[in-house]
Amino acid sequence: MSLQHALLTSIIEKPCSGYELARRFDKSIGYFWHATHQQIYRELARMEQQGWVSSSEVEGGRSGKKQFDVLPAGRAELQRWAAE
């Protein structure tokens, strides 16, 4: 499993910010697969460039806080990967 696919799965489960995603990742998958917060943010940026996720600024949150959602292309990629 790639980090991108693990992140897609987690975001499909519950859209969230990069920070929230990193914390959830640490609490669940982190026991057997470690990824730094920097790696997670880097992959989120790549996934956004690929059109797999979108981000929107969180109202009432700290400045620059973004929430990530999976786009149809991200769901299709996850289905493609799962079928392999």
Side-chain angles (χ1 to χ4, degrees):
M1 176 182 260
S2 76
L3 179 56
Q4 288 183 337
H5 296 107
L7 294 173
L8 282 171
T9 302
S10 188
I11 297 168
I12 285 173
E13 185 178 287
K14 181 180 178 191
C16 58
S17 70
Y19 177 76
E20 293 164 337
L21 183 59
R23 287 187 46 106
R24 283 180 26 211
F25 195 88
D26 287 344
K27 290 180 181 179
S28 60
I29 301 170
Y31 291 110
F32 56 90
W33 184 11
H34 181 71
T36 66
H37 289 216
Q38 183 180 5
Q39 287 173 307
I40 290 171
Y41 283 108
R42 194 175 325 134
E43 291 303 320
L44 286 170
R46 284 186 191 133
M47 291 164 48
E48 192 164 22
Q49 288 175 345
Q50 292 169 316
W52 294 357
V53 298
S54 66
S55 65
S56 57
E57 200 157 317
V58 175
E59 290 184 33
R62 67 169 179 71
S63 179
K65 183 177 180 180
K66 297 178 181 180
Q67 176 173 304
F68 290 88
D69 292 287
V70 177
L71 296 173
R75 288 180 184 274
E77 169 56 24
L78 198 55
Q79 288 175 341
R80 182 209 58 79
W81 173 79
E84 271 188 358

